[in-house]
């Protein structure tokens, strides 16, 4: 074991030392706080995300759900001035340790974004590009077909694999993006409001896709839609905001409640959760 | 057809019915805009027509021979623009080859978050300031500072590679090489600032898509960002090529103005623009016509560059909307 890893172990709290041996945990957020410049966006998040389960993040706008999900594959590195304290443990490794390459993290933890964002290349190339970036050696045609099939979009694009990814409808584009992520076989797939730009039918198709994907991947999904969280997820984390100090209008996000989706929607422990899921605010 | 307007509504909203004057302003505005836009076309075509008309004498006398002869003798009335055409094409293309990697590289550096933003901003401002230096000042600088400074280096190249025709004469001062370098300085800001703008316009979710599948910064820049911005970058490069081909003052000051053809880039040479600038004052009769012919060729060259540019941009541009 090298020096970097030793240092990482020292940072892990006793609670997580125990969890390191717990192989059912995929990602563990340990006292995570995130700042943009000097503004605290979220603070003190503790959360253990189970393998091969769907975990959804819900909460009102501005509560930091997206910030947290983007911290899990270090997408926040792209934002200047974004700082994280605490640790994000992925399969026993702190992904924010000094010796960790963020590119490798993203190869293990894939992401689907809010807006469908296919590459301005052909449908085939959209899948093949990511695979090639990850050093795929195998039958590319087969990989493309398998990924598109798993993302439930193969039938719609099998006859036009050489056409631009932008020739597809919004919902199909989003499933293409999911296929692109599946193709690189990550361990975890992060989805940041994947259905917010889509119509109800496409949304339903993507939810079916998520059900299918659960068998092979750990999925974390941010959603504004509580019914969706209820339908697709096994665990739910509810985030809320609180006013920071009296002088500033800024709000800080924090994790209110994290439990099995069924128990959260049937018998929430916190009053604010109850209020939010019954539609009193948010 | 006129719509009938209720009296009660009219009292609250006085403009339910548009007055005739407002409609006239609309129509008038449309016509003025059409007229102004047509002016551009009229000016362009009349310049072409006049330059062509003025050069007909020379065109009919020399025909295409004009393009391949290096003679320029007002006494015997023997004219040819080969040296100037070659000089124009060679200096502008050579300066592009140097300026493209420098300019695009600078643009990537400014748009990526490799170093803190304020340093990038300072570099960006300095590039823009470079564009603000008048070309005559650059020419002066080239003659008195740059050329004496680079001459020892050019001499080394001459001594080592003198057997290659391109380096076949001794650098003695003004010549093609310093002209190429001063052109690099002049077109660099064009390439950099247009590349920077088109790189900035690449939607940020494309960048995220690339990083999201585990692409490195290198792959993201060269396989996703640059291909998405390539049409803008090409546009900038061709604008720069146009500038390089037409640039007169600084080039005239440093290129040596000699109509004797030489393969060597260290020898004095000519470009069409510097030839025009040098000779229009004393020219008369068929020499004017020959200068017009040369000017016509320069216009055709830039036109060809532009058409080619449009074609390339269309070929290269990736649709991401």
């Amino acid at each position: 074991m090298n020096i970097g890893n030793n240092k990482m172990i020292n940072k892990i709290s006793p609670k997580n030392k125990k969890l390191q041996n717990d192989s059912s945990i995929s990602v563990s957020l340990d006292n995570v706080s995130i700042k943009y410049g000097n503004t605290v966006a979220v603070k003190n998040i503790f959360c253990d995300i189970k393998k091969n389960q769907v975990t959804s993040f819900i909460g009102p706008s501005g509560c930091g759900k997206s910030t947290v999900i983007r911290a899990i594959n270090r997408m926040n590195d792209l934002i200047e001035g974004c700082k994280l304290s605490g640790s994000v443990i992925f399969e026993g490794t702190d992904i924010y340790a000094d010796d960790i390459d963020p590119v490798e993290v993203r190869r293990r933890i894939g992401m689907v974004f809010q807006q469908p964002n296919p590459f301005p290349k052909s449908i085939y190339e959209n899948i093949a590009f990511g695979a090639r970036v990850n050093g795929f050696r195998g039958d590319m045609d087969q990989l493309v077909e398998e990924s598109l099939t798993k993302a439930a979009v193969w039938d719609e694009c099998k006859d036009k694999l050489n056409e631009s990814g932008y020739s597809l409808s919004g919902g199909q584009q989003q499933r293409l993006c999911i296929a692109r992520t599946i193709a690189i076989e990550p361990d975890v797939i992060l989805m940041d409001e994947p259905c917010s730009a889509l119509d109800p039918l496409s949304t339903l198709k993507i939810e079916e896709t998520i059900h299918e994907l659960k068998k092979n991947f750990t999925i974390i999904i941010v959603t504004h839609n509580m019914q969706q969280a209820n339908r697709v997820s096994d665990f739910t984390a509810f985030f809320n905001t609180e006013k920071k100090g009296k002088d500033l209008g800024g709000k800080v996000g924090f994790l209110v409640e994290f439990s099995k989706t069924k128990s959260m929607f049937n018998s929430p422990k916190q009053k604010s959760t109850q209020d939010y899921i019954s539609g009193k605010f948010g | 057809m006129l719509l009938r307007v209720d009296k009660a509504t009219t009292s609250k909203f006085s403009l339910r019915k548009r007055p005739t004057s407002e409609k006239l302003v609309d129509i008038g505005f449309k016509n003025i805009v059409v007229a102004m836009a047509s002016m551009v076309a009229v000016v362009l075509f009349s310049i072409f027509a006049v330059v062509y008309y003025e050069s007909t004498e020379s065109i009919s006398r020399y025909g295409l021979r004009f393009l391949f002869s290096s003679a320029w003798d007002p006494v015997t009335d023997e004219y040819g623009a080969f040296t100037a055409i070659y000089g124009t094409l060679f200096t502008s293309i050579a300066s592009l080859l140097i300026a493209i990697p420098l300019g695009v590289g600078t643009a990537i550096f400014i748009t990526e978050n490799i170093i803190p933003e304020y340093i990038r901003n300072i570099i960006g401002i300095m590039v823009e300031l470079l564009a603000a230096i008048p070309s005559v000042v650059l020419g002066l600088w080239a003659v008195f500072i740059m050329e004496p400074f680079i001459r020892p280096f050019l001499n080394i190249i001459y001594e080592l590679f003198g057997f290659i025709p391109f380096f076949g004469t001794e650098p003695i001062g003004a010549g093609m090489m310093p002209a190429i370098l001063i052109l690099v300085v002049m077109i660099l800001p064009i390439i950099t600032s247009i590349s920077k703008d088109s790189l900035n316009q690449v939607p940020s979710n494309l960048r995220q898509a690339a990083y999201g599948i585990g692409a490195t910064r290198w792959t993201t820049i060269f396989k996703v960002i640059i291909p998405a911005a390539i049409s803008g970058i090409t546009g900038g490069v061709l604008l720069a090529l146009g500038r390089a081909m037409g640039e007169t003052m600084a080039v005239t000051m440093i290129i040596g103005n000699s109509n004797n053809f030489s393969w060597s880039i260290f020898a004095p040479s000519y470009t069409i623009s510097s030839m025009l600038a040098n000779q229009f004052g004393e020219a008369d009769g068929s020499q004017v016509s020959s200068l017009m012919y040369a000017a016509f060729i320069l216009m055709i060259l830039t036109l060809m560059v532009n058409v080619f540019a449009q074609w390339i941009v269309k070929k290269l541009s990736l649709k991401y909307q």
Side-chain angles (χ1 to χ4, degrees), chain A residues 70 73 75 77-78 80 103 106-107 109-111 113 115-121 129-130 133-134 164 166 180 184, chain B residues 113 115-117 120 205-217 219-220 223-224 227-228 318-321:
Chain A
R70 291 165 61 90
N73 73 341
M75 281 308 275
D77 288 16
L78 304 184
E80 222 156 309
V103 172
R106 295 183 200 120
R107 288 177 184 180
I109 308 179
M111 186 153 198
F113 298 85
Q115 295 289 331
N117 55 355
F119 296 116
K121 302 171 189 276
F129 178 63
V133 161
N134 285 270
S164 163
Y166 283 89
R180 175 176 78 189
I184 63 170
Chain B
N113 57 348
I115 48 164
E117 194 171 5
R120 285 186 270 145
N205 62 20
L206 263 186
R207 184 187 294 268
Q208 295 191 350
Y211 281 117
I213 54 158
T216 56
R217 189 199 288 275
T219 316
T220 306
K223 293 283 171 60
V224 177
L318 297 161
K319 307 266 178 295
Y320 53 85
Q321 281 313 320

Side-chain angles (χ1 to χ4, degrees), chain A residues 248-261:
Chain A
L248 290 161
K251 293 189 283 187
V252 188
F254 63 103
L255 180 64
V256 179
E257 193 170 342
F258 175 61
S259 63
K260 285 206 160 146
T261 303

Side-chain angles (χ1 to χ4, degrees), chain A residues 47-50 53-57 69 218-222 232-237 258-259 261:
Chain A
C47 186
D48 295 326
I49 287 149
K50 287 240 189 311
Q53 303 279 329
V54 179
T55 304
S56 63
F57 289 2
I69 201 174
T218 305
I219 295 174
I220 305 174
I221 177 171
V222 167
V232 300
S233 67
D234 306 296
F235 289 86
T236 300
F258 175 61
S259 63
T261 303

Side-chain angles (χ1 to χ4, degrees), chain A residues 46-187:
Chain A
F46 289 89
C47 186
D48 295 326
I49 287 149
K50 287 240 189 311
K51 247 183 210 168
N52 291 33
Q53 303 279 329
V54 179
T55 304
S56 63
F57 289 2
I58 61 170
S61 297
C63 68
K65 318 179 283 290
S66 293
T67 304
V68 171
I69 201 174
R70 291 165 61 90
I72 296 173
N73 73 341
R74 296 193 59 170
M75 281 308 275
N76 283 339
D77 288 16
L78 304 184
I79 299 168
E80 222 156 309
C82 183
K83 278 194 216 81
L84 179 136
S85 61
S87 41
V88 179
I89 317 289
F90 168 60
E91 310 221 321
T93 314
D94 181 354
I95 59 167
Y96 281 84
D98 293 337
D99 59 342
I100 297 288
D101 179 3
V103 172
E104 281 172 21
V105 170
R106 295 183 200 120
R107 288 177 184 180
R108 303 281 304 277
I109 308 179
M111 186 153 198
V112 177
F113 298 85
Q114 189 168 354
Q115 295 289 331
N117 55 355
F119 296 116
K121 302 171 189 276
S122 71
I123 292 169
Y124 185 95
E125 201 52 33
N126 258 282
I127 312 282
F129 178 63
R132 243 180 266 128
V133 161
N134 285 270
F136 177 71
R137 305 159 197 232
D139 187 347
M140 191 65 86
D141 293 350
Q142 194 191 339
L143 177 76
V144 170
E145 178 172 349
E146 271 175 19
S147 318
L148 289 169
T149 311
K150 278 189 205 155
V153 71
W154 170 249
D155 288 334
E156 285 120 306
C157 39
K158 64 181 171 204
D159 298 323
K160 48 176 185 176
L161 289 176
N162 288 321
E163 280 176 40
S164 163
Y166 283 89
S167 67
L168 299 170
S169 75
Q172 291 168 345
Q173 283 183 22
Q174 192 63 301
R175 276 177 279 145
L176 174 62
C177 293
I178 293 176
R180 175 176 78 189
T181 309
I182 298 169
I184 63 170
E185 292 182 15
D187 299 301

